[in-house]
Amino acid sequence: MEDIEAIAALQDPVRRRLYEFVVGQGREVGRNEAAEAVGVARTLAAHHLDRLAEVGLLESGSRRLTGRSGPGAGRPAKVYTRAQAERTVSLPARDYRTAAELLAEAAEHAGLDAGLTAAARRRGESLRGSTAPCGSLEDAMEMLAARGYEPRLEEDEGARGSSGAAVRVVRMRNCPFHAVAERFPPLVCGMNLALLEGLIGTDGPVRARMDAQPGKCCVVVENSKNNSD
């Protein structure tokens, strides 16, 4: 019933826009920023944001938005981020997560990594169909967004292209296999990489590679030539 209540909370159009805005930022968001973004009063935004936190869709905390500390830095403001907990509703009840975890456990113990990644790559290719490999990072982002990965174009400060500029990469704020990947990271992350290789293509101008970072998908997409052009 808690999941139903949480999802039902998004029925209010203002509350849903606030939730989508907070989720879309990938960082902590204050009440003033959220209110301005969706065009509502701060008090109304605060009410809806607190409700979203109450039902577990957002997490709340406090920090000084000025970035300063000590006297004169101002009082800490309430901030919000997306909650890590998953919310699903199935009528009648279904438990696919347990089935996935049991299958992953059996595959890991049996050493079926190679077979799983081969099947995942075939599935990705099947999902792509007759479409050519992604021709740009923007094309890849569109395809990833449709699969629920929440892609975002960022600069990889740890890598430089031929021009000396930071390399552009696509990082994904959401892993559709998050719950199972937490328990079986090598197996599931390898499967995820193979799936995306099949989906994006391995012989085009962009490629998928492993680059695990906290709070993000374990795979990153970049230009095959590893430049920022």
Side-chain angles (χ1 to χ4, degrees), residues 4 8 29 34 38 42 58 60 64-65 70 72 80 102 148 153 157 166-167 173 187 190-193 210 214 216:
I4 294 176
V29 174
V38 303
R42 181 184 183 280
L58 296 180
S60 63
R64 289 186 173 90
L65 298 179
Y80 304 84
L102 288 171
L153 193 61
E157 295 296 340
V167 172
R173 294 193 299 271
L187 182 76
M191 176 199 75
N192 187 30
L193 174 61
M210 196 74 74
K216 297 182 180 180

Side-chain angles (χ1 to χ4, degrees), residues 16 26 41 54 60 64 66 83 87 101 107 109 116 126 155 168 177 203 211:
R16 182 165 184 170
E54 181 183 332
S60 63
R64 289 186 173 90
T66 61
R87 300 290 181 177
E101 290 178 347
H109 285 310
L116 178 60
S126 175
E155 290 188 347
R168 294 191 307 163
F177 316 111
D203 54 355
D211 185 22

Side-chain angles (χ1 to χ4, degrees), residues 143-159:
M143 187 172 288
L144 292 166
R147 303 297 304 174
Y149 283 91
E150 298 183 8
R152 191 169 192 170
L153 193 61
E154 299 180 0
E155 290 188 347
D156 187 352
E157 295 296 340

